[in-house]
Amino acid sequence: MGLGSRSKFVLLQLVLLLQLAFLGKAKTGGAAAAGGGGGVLDLTKLGAKPKGDITQAFTSAWTQACGSTAATKISIPKGEYNLGEVNVKGPCKSPIEIELQGTLKAPIVTKTDGWLTIGNVNYLTLSGSGVYDAQGKESWKLNDCHVNKKCTMLPISFRFNFVNHSIVKGITSLNSKNFHVNVMGCNNVTFDHFTITAPEDSPNTDGIHIGRSTGINIISSNIGTGDDCVSIGDTSKQITVTDVTCGPGHGISIGSLGKFEGEENVEGVTVKKCKLINTSNGVRIKTWPGTPGTGSVTDMHFEDIEMVNVSNPVYIDQEYCPHNHCKKTSPSKIKISKVTIKNIKGTSATPVAVKLVCSQSHPCEGVEVADIDLTYNGKEGPIMSECLNVKPTISGKQNPRACAKPAAANSPSTP
């Protein structure tokens, strides 16, 4: 039997503690000898100056750290610095920590699809109390990808590609031009006390998007943005979102899924002890109709969640079609099964508080709805729960009464 998600998380913490112990023994200096004994690389001793461009100093420090046979810390002290678009890669010979205490500012004019891209690295730590400011406000007016299929892609603030056994803790991602974080092909990565901030009207600024990754943990973090706080794409397994506050934003989402051929299954997602505030959705699963993608979504758990003035607090949407960017010529081919929705409390901003719309050709199976206590104080009618193509197992308190009304087919989706 393999390790459970909790055991994997504990093992990661032990590995990271050993990594930090190595770093603690290092002496602060201007450089670490390549292939030598590691150390602390203070960028201000490598030519970085407040208000100046530190791109060259950063990439030079990475090259030294990546070549060292002992753990190395890249330190960016308090102050404001400019960092250009950076793409650094491994494999590296030992653990690397990037500690930011100041503020890094991204360029206004960009040329690539990522601000800080890190790939093919094991045992990476991003730490500190600093701020990665992508200065997205000037770019948001150019971001029309939600309505223009031929749009120019703006850079994602953090791209983690094939990064394993790593942790992001304490830092803040501010005003991304596009997604704040994209996690692709990664294993055993934790985001702990991570803050993401962007206005409610900032387009496509997903907080953390996860794709084709396993063992990703988001814990004790605050995410407020203009799109999904957390979105989980295809081929993702053993994902845990715990003690996360989300809002503003579009909620915590599995999907969207099924839009493209070749997508693979999503398995083992737990969203627990989270709080959503003034979001346009709560927790949801969204799959596209009339598209070629197949596969399954299974072993989903939404438990112990507080909703504060949330629209669509609980939503399975297998007719997902935002901005009418699809043709509902056939039902979604994604099979949803083994879903637990338990202990959901708080206030709904819409009269339909629980909406389970499953595929006509692949009805949902194994859905359990337990202990729902939501209230609605608006003027659009009584609070309601609607269902389509699903027969959930119901237990505990049900406010609103579970599946009291059939959901209308082909109803509009929320983004």
Side-chain angles (χ1 to χ4, degrees):
M1 181 180 292
L3 289 172
S5 59
R6 177 65 181 172
S7 297
K8 289 179 180 178
F9 177 69
V10 171
L11 180 60
L12 172 62
Q13 298 305 307
L14 289 173
V15 171
L16 292 169
L17 285 173
L18 289 172
Q19 174 186 338
L20 292 173
F22 277 121
L23 291 169
K25 294 179 181 179
K27 294 181 179 179
T28 303
V40 177
L41 299 172
D42 184 338
L43 290 197
T44 60
K45 296 182 179 180
L46 293 175
K49 296 180 180 179
K51 303 292 185 180
D53 189 322
I54 66 167
T55 307
Q56 184 174 348
F58 182 89
T59 54
S60 176
W62 177 272
T63 300
Q64 293 182 57
C66 192
S68 173
T69 55
T72 304
K73 177 189 290 186
I74 298 171
S75 176
I76 307 170
K78 291 183 177 180
E80 185 178 292
Y81 309 89
N82 298 318
L83 179 69
E85 293 163 292
V86 171
N87 188 338
V88 291
K89 300 178 181 179
C92 297
K93 295 180 179 180
S94 61
I96 296 176
E97 178 176 3
I98 301 171
E99 181 188 61
L100 174 65
Q101 300 298 346
T103 297
L104 296 183
K105 287 187 173 290
I108 300 296
V109 178
T110 58
K111 299 179 181 179
T112 69
D113 62 0
W115 179 23
L116 178 57
T117 302
I118 301 176
N120 299 292
V121 175
N122 296 331
Y123 305 110
L124 172 73
T125 298
L126 266 65
S127 67
S129 58
V131 177
Y132 291 80
D133 182 0
Q135 302 196 93
K137 186 176 181 180
E138 295 300 319
S139 301
W140 292 331
K141 58 189 176 185
L142 305 176
N143 192 337
D144 61 348
C145 292
H146 58 295
V147 294
N148 179 12
K149 295 181 180 180
K150 297 181 180 180
C151 65
T152 299
M153 184 69 71
L154 294 172
I156 291 170
S157 289
F158 295 92
R159 283 188 175 271
F160 297 112
N161 301 326
F162 309 104
V163 172
N164 306 308
H165 314 301
S166 298
I167 187 166
V168 177
K169 58 180 183 179
I171 60 173
T172 295
S173 176
L174 177 64
N175 291 342
S176 60
K177 293 178 174 65
N178 198 327
F179 292 8
H180 287 263
V181 178
N182 190 69
V183 178
M184 179 59 62
C186 298
N187 292 282
N188 202 16
V189 176
T190 294
F191 296 85
D192 183 8
H193 287 87
F194 183 37
T195 300
I196 291 176
T197 301
E200 184 177 6
D201 60 353
S202 56
N204 291 94
T205 54
D206 291 56
I208 301 175
H209 177 72
I210 301 165
R212 301 181 180 269
S213 298
T214 300
I216 309 301
N217 304 289
I218 306 170
I219 60 175
S220 303
S221 295
N222 290 281
I223 303 175
T225 189
D227 212 296
D228 291 332
C229 292
V230 178
S231 58
I232 300 169
D234 76 289
T235 327
S236 296
K237 300 179 181 180
Q238 305 307 315
I239 311 299
T240 301
V241 182
T242 307
D243 190 26
V244 168
T245 299
C246 165
H250 294 180
I252 297 173
S253 299
I254 288 85
S256 60
L257 300 169
K259 190 174 184 179
F260 305 104
E261 287 187 275
E263 294 184 13
E264 296 185 21
N265 302 342
V266 177
E267 301 175 4
V269 176
T270 297
V271 180
K272 191 170 185 177
K273 296 182 180 178
C274 293
K275 184 175 184 178
L276 293 95
I277 305 171
N278 299 323
T279 53
S280 59
N281 297 282
V283 291
R284 63 174 170 167
I285 302 171
K286 49 183 178 177
T287 74
W288 291 81
T291 52
T294 60
S296 66
V297 175
T298 188
D299 195 18
M300 305 285 114
H301 304 279
F302 306 100
E303 301 179 1
D304 305 331
I305 297 171
E306 181 182 359
M307 306 287 181
V308 180
N309 195 43
V310 170
S311 301
N312 311 303
V314 178
Y315 197 3
I316 293 178
D317 184 6
Q318 291 209 261
E319 296 181 347
Y320 181 70
C321 186
H323 311 292
N324 294 316
H325 274 187
C326 65
K327 296 180 180 179
K328 297 182 180 182
T329 54
S330 61
S332 172
K333 300 178 180 68
I334 304 297
K335 178 69 174 182
I336 296 176
S337 64
K338 298 180 182 178
V339 179
T340 301
I341 303 166
K342 182 179 180 181
N343 194 26
I344 313 295
K345 299 180 179 180
T347 57
S348 174
T350 52
V352 180
V354 178
K355 189 172 185 177
L356 311 180
V357 178
C358 296
S359 169
Q360 183 180 18
S361 62
H362 296 74
C364 297
E365 293 183 349
V367 177
E368 299 181 17
V369 180
D371 300 315
I372 308 299
D373 189 8
L374 295 167
T375 59
Y376 169 68
N377 296 319
K379 300 179 181 179
E380 297 179 37
I383 192 167
M384 186 64 63
S385 170
E386 299 181 352
C387 299
L388 184 67
N389 302 316
V390 59
K391 296 180 180 179
T393 299
I394 299 166
S395 63
K397 185 173 184 177
Q398 294 292 322
N399 184 32
R401 183 166 64 88
C403 297
K405 179 182 177 182
N410 299 317
S411 57
S413 296
T414 56

